Amino acid sequence: MDPMRLDANVHLRNDLNGYEKWNAPSISFSSIDNFGVSSVPLEREPYIPSFVEVNYIEGSNDPKWSSTNFPWTKKLEANNKKVFGNHSFRPNQREVINATMSGYDVFVLMPTGGGKSLTYQLPALICPGVTLVISPLVSLIQDQIMHLLQANIPAAYLSANMEWTEQQEILRELCSDYCKYKLLYVTPEKVAKSDVLLRNLESLNGRGLLARIVIDEAHCELGILKKKFEKTPVLALTATATASVKEDVVQALGLVDCIVFCNSQDKKSAWKTSTSSSEKIILMNVELSTVYQEWTAKKVAEKLQECGHKTAFYHGNMDAAQRSFVQRQWSKDEVNIICATVAFGMGINKPDVRFVIHHSLPKSIEGYHQECGRAGRDGQRASCVLYYSYSDYIRVKHMIIQGQAEQSPWTAGCGRNNMKNSDRILEKNTENLLRMVSYSENDVDCRRLLQLLHFGEKFDSGNCGNTCDNCSKIKTLVEKDVTESAKQLVELVKLSGQHFSSSHILEVYRGSLSQFVKRHRHESLSLHGAGKHLAKGEASRILRHLVIEDFLAEDVKKSDIYGSVSSVLKVNESKAYNLRSGEQRIVLRCSLSLSMLLEHMFH
Ligand SMILES: Nc1ncnc2c1ncn2[C@@H]1O[C@H](COP(=O)(O)OP(=O)(O)OP(=O)(O)O)[C@@H](O)[C@H]1O
């Protein structure tokens, strides 16, 4: 029975009648002859992204894609076992493979470690022709090539950093009618900049040998590919689960009729607490790869080495040979701790990583979630640990501002629109960071629930089974109305002229008579000591809540050459108005110790 005919809702591509042509890659429409690649300079039509009307077809709940009646099913299952060593498919893998092999454009959202690679490597293996994989990180590409070659699957990659002779050898092989490669990996920059590559792809396509175009976690404008290779199926994969990513990617790629598969972001293995501490560990630094972070990665690695651990460090400023060396050491278990910035490719596939430890604050929940995805990819127990301090927020915020300033369009001589654009990016990045701070500050709610909520998924925290720190604490929660203290803190920021840091405001609020307080005559302010009755932690939690909820803004002021950053608090008048007028109340949930609980009950 033809499973493709069962459902009339699916919009079939005109060029492929169901799966009959599954083994026939795109038909030639190029003018390039069969014997080689034209050397005439390539006419690159300027690609102008335009809004396309997209027909999203939900694939996840469509039983047709999980059918085992496709002509390729037997081959698929045999190779999954024999070549990849898997006994079954993970959620949505079979479905995605069936959809892409039926010739559709497919968009896949799968969390890190969900098994995205198999969804194109297995089709690449069993379909004739070459699968083009566009992936943004060279370290990830190298890792994938290493695994493919180990499994005897011929694969190559082209990058601008390679010797020209090496690149030519690969390009020559692509020209051959019996091209041995099943997969060719390139970076998005290579596609954007290399005419030679595009000409070779046109030639491959002309000979019916461009099997599939895979875009792995590359959120960039590659619409030119769909325009040039209209009939070649595109498979776009991402682990980034923000609400807009599907639209952004599908639009940027120009996938008009596309089947969408979305997996849950819940990564069960990373929520299992580990009991062992002698296993593979990744120690992550913050997302921004600054000199300071690179220095930290190196220093931390050295300290751990002194303590007798087999440790290496990895950051983006190391040269390519050094990086591959560390990657090989890691893959071969010659080191068991990696201290890295995010330059350590997020896709590097080491199944038995037992810990991902964040040494400092990630700049977004998405980033944190993906970085944690390095742990427990083999489905076994793993732990994710985040070291958090509110002062990290100031430092990371400063890095974001600095990074933005370095890329300022004014310095590049661009116009006002770009300036607005960069302001928007800064605003978005700051908002992402604040969400991460809010997640870290929350010591009450189930972490799994908080993460999934962020990705728009529902989760019953009763199912957490005490796998997160908050659920595993024995605690009694009470709700506390802190509106009065919040109002006072906002007022104090104003009274002191909006020139002081949060720690100074807290000191004044709790009645400190330090030299600094006296120097600024803040002991004479009417609210000096108004928060004496509060514990320091409690007062600072209220203040941080005011920042997270945008009643107050932390204005990062300056940094010195040692990386120290100071901040001043400012009042966001429009939000503060609601607080002062009594329109908005602030209630915090707190966990209480027994003595505090008794005090609370009899208060
Ligand atoms: N069907 C399967 N059965 C068992 N293991 C699998 C299966 N599919 C994939 N894996 C394993 O799961 C791990 C993660 O797979 P993969 O690297 O493809 O994840 P990913 O979704 O690409 O993650 P990332 O976004 O982090 O790159 C790998 O070790 C892979 O061998």
Side-chain angles (χ1 to χ4, degrees):
M1 195 194 320
D2 180 349
M4 297 294 296
R5 287 191 204 128
L6 292 178
D7 188 343
N9 289 332
V10 176
H11 185 103
L12 288 177
R13 293 162 55 86
N14 291 338
D15 51 314
L16 293 172
N17 286 324
Y19 56 73
E20 290 89 336
K21 294 186 184 170
W22 68 277
N23 57 357
S26 52
I27 314 297
S28 163
F29 67 97
S30 147
S31 61
I32 292 171
D33 66 57
N34 268 343
F35 303 103
V37 177
S38 157
S39 58
V40 179
L42 187 91
E43 276 294 319
R44 263 179 199 261
E45 288 167 41
Y47 172 66
I48 304 158
S50 54
F51 184 82
V52 288
E53 200 60 49
V54 175
N55 180 22
Y56 295 105
I57 305 158
E58 189 51 57
S60 305
N61 304 323
D62 190 337
K64 126 167 101 259
W65 299 123
S66 47
S67 162
T68 49
N69 288 331
F70 285 94
W72 50 80
T73 297
K74 273 208 174 94
K75 213 169 173 184
L76 200 66
E77 288 178 347
N79 280 282
N80 189 30
K81 242 182 221 146
K82 201 171 112 217
V83 182
F84 291 91
N86 300 326
H87 296 291
S88 58
F89 288 104
R90 286 188 175 164
N92 272 344
Q93 281 182 325
R94 184 195 287 278
E95 290 75 1
V96 171
I97 293 173
N98 284 337
T100 184
M101 287 186 65
S102 299
Y104 284 91
D105 290 336
V106 178
F107 172 88
V108 179
L109 170 63
M110 226 181 235
T112 58
K116 289 185 282 299
S117 319
L118 191 82
T119 63
Y120 60 85
Q121 290 176 350
L122 197 44
L125 182 64
I126 64 179
C127 291
V130 181
T131 293
L132 176 74
V133 185
I134 299 155
S135 171
L137 281 168
V138 174
S139 53
L140 158 64
I141 294 178
Q142 285 170 336
D143 188 65
Q144 295 254 344
I145 299 270
M146 189 186 75
H147 283 104
L148 287 165
L149 295 181
Q150 276 168 1
N152 281 327
I153 303 173
Y157 82 97
L158 277 173
S159 112
N161 295 336
M162 285 163 71
E163 291 287 328
W164 178 234
T165 48
E166 213 182 329
Q167 294 195 40
Q168 275 195 314
E169 209 171 295
I170 293 167
L171 291 170
R172 243 196 315 275
E173 183 62 35
L174 290 178
C175 291
S176 137
D177 276 340
Y178 304 99
C179 171
K180 66 180 177 197
Y181 299 130
K182 299 305 306 172
L183 295 112
L184 174 71
Y185 283 78
V186 294
T187 56
E189 292 75 27
K190 189 84 190 161
V191 178
K193 290 186 186 151
S194 169
D195 283 357
V196 178
L197 173 67
L198 269 194
R199 246 187 261 118
N200 273 273
L201 293 177
E202 281 179 339
S203 156
L204 260 184
N205 189 53
R207 288 174 286 135
L209 289 175
L210 183 59
R212 182 166 290 100
I213 298 174
V214 178
I215 315 220
D216 194 0
E217 206 56 77
H219 298 180
C220 44
E221 299 286 350
L222 289 173
I224 188 171
L225 288 174
K226 196 66 210 171
K227 255 187 122 189
K228 271 200 182 300
F229 309 112
E230 205 183 338
K231 300 174 183 178
T232 307
V234 171
L235 175 57
L237 305 150
T238 182
T240 315
T242 46
S244 61
V245 82
K246 180 176 79 183
E247 280 76 14
D248 291 351
V249 170
V250 170
Q251 277 290 334
L253 297 174
L255 308 182
V256 176
D257 296 308
C258 118
I259 308 201
V260 176
F261 291 92
C262 294
N263 279 24
S264 165
Q265 290 292 318
D266 192 21
K267 196 160 185 299
K268 294 175 184 67
S269 65
W271 293 106
K272 294 175 187 165
T273 357
S274 176
T275 47
S276 157
S277 61
S278 61
E279 320 235 17
K280 305 291 165 308
I281 301 174
I282 302 180
L283 206 67
M284 290 302 300
N285 258 309
V286 300
E287 283 209 22
L288 298 165
S289 180
T290 63
V291 174
Y292 174 70
Q293 294 310 324
E294 285 157 10
W295 179 83
T296 315
K298 192 163 171 230
K299 283 288 154 211
V300 174
E302 282 167 7
K303 270 271 166 262
L304 288 167
Q305 271 161 4
E306 280 168 25
C307 301
H309 296 288
K310 289 187 284 176
T311 311
F313 64 89
Y314 189 106
H315 59 70
N317 255 346
M318 287 159 59
D319 67 38
Q322 278 176 311
R323 278 189 276 166
S324 326
F325 177 70
V326 173
Q327 218 168 302
R328 266 199 310 279
Q329 280 186 307
W330 175 244
S331 300
K332 291 183 182 162
D333 292 339
E334 288 165 10
V335 292
N336 66 338
I337 304 179
I338 279 278
C339 301
T341 64
V342 280
F344 189 62
M346 293 325 298
I348 289 184
N349 185 23
K350 181 89 180 134
D352 55 345
V353 173
R354 298 274 71 87
F355 287 89
V356 169
I357 301 173
H358 278 77
H359 184 259
S360 50
L361 189 70
K363 67 175 182 162
S364 68
I365 295 186
E366 285 80 14
Y368 179 58
H369 189 76
Q370 285 204 11
E371 286 149 27
C372 288
R374 306 298 93 209
R377 291 159 79 85
D378 52 6
Q380 300 300 309
R381 286 167 174 251
S383 295
C384 302
V385 179
L386 167 68
Y387 286 100
Y388 167 75
S389 139
Y390 183 74
S391 60
D392 285 347
Y393 161 57
I394 310 293
R395 224 185 40 242
V396 178
K397 183 169 176 183
H398 173 71
M399 287 181 197
I400 290 176
I401 294 170
Q402 207 178 32
Q404 194 74 17
E406 277 160 15
Q407 290 167 15
S408 166
W410 291 115
T411 50
C414 300
R416 184 177 298 236
N417 281 346
N418 279 349
M419 185 63 186
K420 278 198 191 130
N421 204 19
S422 80
D423 282 351
R424 265 198 299 276
I425 295 171
L426 180 60
E427 203 175 296
K428 185 81 203 137
N429 288 343
T430 311
E431 188 188 314
N432 284 340
L433 178 62
L434 273 175
R435 283 177 176 227
M436 187 64 216
V437 174
S438 163
Y439 169 86
S440 314
E441 286 278 328
N442 189 329
D443 62 354
V444 174
D445 297 307
C446 171
R447 298 232 175 260
R448 211 157 151 181
L449 172 106
L450 289 173
Q451 283 195 20
L452 290 171
L453 215 60
H454 180 82
F455 296 119
E457 284 188 40
K458 289 201 181 102
F459 179 74
D460 176 0
S461 54
N463 293 331
C464 173
N466 291 345
T467 52
C468 80
D469 57 332
N470 284 346
C471 288
S472 58
K473 275 184 234 159
I474 301 172
K475 64 193 172 204
T476 309
L477 295 180
V478 289
E479 290 200 333
K480 199 167 175 185
D481 189 324
V482 294
T483 313
E484 281 316 306
S485 304
K487 273 193 211 169
Q488 288 175 339
L489 281 164
V490 170
E491 206 46 41
L492 191 54
V493 171
K494 263 199 112 167
L495 285 175
S496 57
Q498 311 195 61
H499 294 307
F500 295 89
S501 69
S502 49
S503 54
H504 178 74
I505 296 294
L506 283 173
E507 286 215 344
V508 178
Y509 188 53
R510 297 187 62 247
S512 160
L513 291 169
S514 69
Q515 293 277 334
F516 194 75
V517 170
K518 284 187 180 159
R519 194 184 316 150
H520 293 280
R521 304 226 176 97
H522 285 169
E523 78 282 12
S524 59
L525 293 175
S526 58
L527 286 169
H528 178 259
K532 292 206 265 276
H533 60 289
L534 296 175
K536 191 173 176 197
E538 202 176 342
S540 71
R541 188 167 166 212
I542 300 169
L543 194 70
R544 294 194 300 244
H545 183 83
L546 289 169
V547 175
I548 292 166
E549 292 302 321
D550 208 24
F551 293 97
L552 296 175
E554 288 258 16
D555 217 356
V556 177
K557 216 168 66 172
K558 65 169 193 270
S559 105
D560 57 28
I561 50 166
Y562 304 106
S564 71
V565 177
S566 64
S567 73
V568 293
L569 284 176
K570 306 253 184 223
V571 177
N572 178 352
E573 283 300 341
S574 57
K575 289 239 10 188
Y577 175 82
N578 296 341
L579 194 61
R580 281 193 210 106
S581 67
E583 236 174 79
Q584 188 159 0
R585 303 209 63 79
I586 296 192
V587 177
L588 293 183
R589 288 213 291 156
C590 322
S591 55
L592 293 187
S593 63
L594 188 59
S595 57
M596 285 162 84
L597 178 66
L598 291 173
E599 192 191 321
H600 182 83
M601 281 164 68
F602 297 111
H603 206 66

